[in-house]
Amino acid sequence: MTTEPPSTSAQATNSAAAPSQGGDLIPFRQAVRVWFGISLQTFGGPAGQIAVMQRTLVEERRWIGQRRFNHALSYCMLLPGPEAQQLAIYIGWLLNGTRGGLAAGTLFVLPGVLALLALSAIYVGWGSTTLITGLFAGLAPAVLAIVAQAVLRVGKRSLTHPAMIALAVASFAALAVFAVPFPIVILAAAAAGWLLARVRPHVFAAKAKGGDDDGPAPLIADDALHHEPPSRRRVVKVLGVGLAAWGIPLGVVALLTGGGSVFTTQGLYFSGAALVTFGGAYAVLAYVAQSAVQTYGWLNPGEMVRGLALAETTPGPLIMVVQFVAFVGAYRDPGGLNPWAAALLGALLTTWVTFTPCFLFIFLGAPYVERLRGNRAISAALTGITAAVVGVIANLAVYFAVHTLFRTVHDRDWGPVHLRIPELATWRPTALAITVVAFVIIFGLRWSVLRTLGVCAMLGLAAALIW
């Protein structure tokens, strides 16, 4: 994407163009082009997606300053749902109001939706062939290295004190050993963060990094308030429109297909999941995987890993994997519809109920957040959640590892203890070898996620053709 420095006139009139004045701060068509360009580069999970937006919007175009960018990101991390997409909606709202947020958020996920639909269809139609089987045999081990990298990245950023490390360990144990429901773990982490800030404030005394900003003045001044103030009337309007947009499609599908159809079940389940997906896709996937595999039987554990591998290869949020889950589940239980039509309906409905709440959360809360910068209670709760997410992602890594490296895994219960025990005799030597290669590539050679997936897919294909 061609870098266009801020225009002289924009810089000269920065204070006049502050968000307090309302209107588009940049031409809407220009913003749409930039957001579309960003959407094509959003590989590698939330860390990569946030880095793309920071480079484009903060460093190259100077549309927003670093402190303002970090403030918006902090709020988005506190919300359920994909924080990178919500950050795009927030910044789009700052730049061009409601239509800017709608454009930024929609374009952020659109390429990934289309790409994953195509890949899901390929998997369902030709997944049993040697070619597809081999590719997925290589992709699944690569995911283990990618998730392990996510644990280290998030841990390095958030585990800055022994109390935070303890919170991460407790979260891992709650999920992996005691099978505590995911939403309870997240709520407990937020409460623990808030309590720590009150009784041990020195835990949060470390200075935030990256708060300073060098370079020309940004188009959106760091200390300017957005033109749209919070009000009761605005809350009622946004809530009414948002809930209608979220619920009407689901209601229509339930009316046409029945309350017990797979489409209604998926729509209701993923609507609920959208409210508890704190910490991004990695944090919630174990929760989704358990329900999709054990509760509803939409797919098996190995397919959940393959779905994540597919989501890794497409742009957009990794939570897009739920589209794959719905596609496969609806295809296998189409009711009275053609299986392919059922798969498409399930995938699109699930995508809608998963991402629509992101717009509602931002449009509803952003005007208040603009006036709550530096709120210590919110910051403390966010810190607790972020620390817990390290343990949540580690639990996900264990879940994927046992189902990727072993053919048979048994669930064992001893009172409150619930463990997944692999049958050692069923280990998969090819998967283990590709996993080792993936770890070397990710941590030793420091290759990108997409490049790592490509190499591992080729290794899986070669192994399938040879054996």
Side-chain angles (χ1 to χ4, degrees), residues 100-460:
L102 290 172
T106 301
L107 289 173
F108 194 86
V109 300
L110 187 59
V113 169
L114 298 177
L116 194 55
L117 274 177
L119 291 173
S120 299
I122 291 172
Y123 173 79
V124 168
W126 296 279
S128 60
T129 65
T130 300
L131 174 63
I132 302 300
T133 300
L135 291 175
F136 278 108
L139 288 174
V143 170
L144 299 183
I146 294 168
V147 174
Q149 184 187 47
V151 173
L152 295 179
R153 280 182 173 178
V154 178
K156 183 178 180 181
R157 180 183 64 197
S158 58
L159 304 185
T160 57
H161 188 275
M164 297 295 102
I165 297 175
L167 188 54
V169 173
S171 299
F172 174 81
L175 291 166
V177 179
F178 298 103
V180 177
F182 176 78
I184 293 178
V185 173
I186 291 299
L187 291 175
W194 175 83
L195 184 61
L196 273 173
R198 293 182 65 86
V199 301
R200 294 288 188 271
H202 64 276
V203 172
F204 302 88
K207 293 182 179 180
K209 298 180 180 180
D212 298 328
D213 196 10
D214 298 324
L219 188 62
I220 301 177
D222 281 333
D223 57 353
L225 291 176
H226 193 274
H227 73 282
E228 199 166 16
S231 67
R232 183 177 300 177
R233 180 180 179 182
R234 185 184 183 280
V235 167
V236 172
K237 179 180 177 181
V238 171
L239 199 58
V241 173
L243 290 177
W246 190 3
I248 288 177
L250 176 57
V252 171
V253 169
L255 184 64
L256 296 177
T257 65
S261 70
V262 67
F263 316 106
T264 304
T265 302
Q266 289 178 344
L268 290 173
Y269 171 75
F270 287 112
S271 291
L275 300 176
V276 297
T277 52
F278 295 94
Y282 284 129
V284 78
L285 277 178
Y287 167 68
V288 172
Q290 182 179 16
S291 299
V293 174
Q294 299 178 10
T295 304
Y296 298 107
W298 291 328
L299 67 177
N300 60 52
E303 288 179 320
M304 191 67 198
V305 179
R306 295 168 194 168
L308 180 59
L310 285 181
E312 290 276 11
T313 65
T314 59
L318 295 181
I319 196 63
M320 196 78 72
V321 69
V322 300
Q323 178 182 297
F324 171 84
V325 173
F327 190 100
V328 175
Y331 180 88
R332 292 172 178 170
D333 183 17
L337 297 180
N338 174 277
W340 290 104
L344 182 62
L345 175 59
L348 293 180
L349 179 62
T350 292
T351 301
W352 181 265
V353 300
T354 298
F355 290 106
T356 298
C358 296
F359 295 91
L360 177 59
F361 296 147
I362 296 300
F363 293 147
L364 198 61
Y368 293 94
V369 174
E370 284 290 292
R371 287 155 176 80
L372 289 175
R373 296 181 206 171
N375 183 282
R376 294 183 179 180
I378 292 178
S379 177
L382 169 65
T383 302
I385 291 174
T386 307
V389 162
V390 179
V392 175
I393 300 174
N395 174 60
L396 177 68
V398 172
Y399 178 90
F400 281 162
V402 296
H403 287 291
T404 299
L405 302 179
F406 299 91
R407 292 186 178 87
T408 304
V409 180
H410 302 286
D411 290 333
R412 294 286 186 263
D413 294 315
W414 295 276
V417 175
H418 176 83
L419 295 176
R420 297 184 183 93
I421 308 297
E423 190 173 314
L424 299 182
T426 65
W427 72 290
R428 294 169 166 155
T430 301
L432 179 60
I434 298 177
T435 299
V436 172
V437 172
F439 271 83
V440 171
I441 291 175
I442 286 283
F443 293 100
L445 302 180
R446 299 183 183 277
W447 285 8
S448 68
V449 167
L450 202 58
R451 194 176 180 186
T452 301
L453 289 167
V455 170
C456 292
M458 292 301 102
L459 290 175

